[in-house]
Amino acid sequence: MKLSKEWWRTVRYAIEEDHRTIRLISILVTVGGVALVLIAATHGMSVTVG
């Protein structure tokens, strides 16, 4: 029983680590996407104005 409890704790810890990594990657992707949209909008405006 003790072994399975330790194993479950290890699995849960690994899953939490994965969730943290996935959250970090999604945040980076979101920030990158917003930055790209802002850059594209700025360039589009400058091209339109210019």
Side-chain angles (χ1 to χ4, degrees):
M1 193 68 185
K2 186 185 176 195
L3 181 66
S4 65
K5 206 176 265 189
E6 289 291 321
W7 178 81
W8 175 241
R9 188 179 297 158
T10 306
V11 169
R12 266 183 54 201
Y13 183 74
I15 289 170
E16 285 174 13
E17 285 292 314
D18 281 352
H19 274 287
R20 205 170 297 157
T21 306
I22 291 166
R23 194 179 302 149
L24 183 66
I25 290 169
S26 64
I27 288 169
L28 285 173
V29 169
T30 305
V31 170
V34 169
L36 282 174
V37 169
L38 284 174
I39 291 169
T42 307
H43 280 287
M45 288 165 98
S46 65
V47 167
T48 308
V49 172

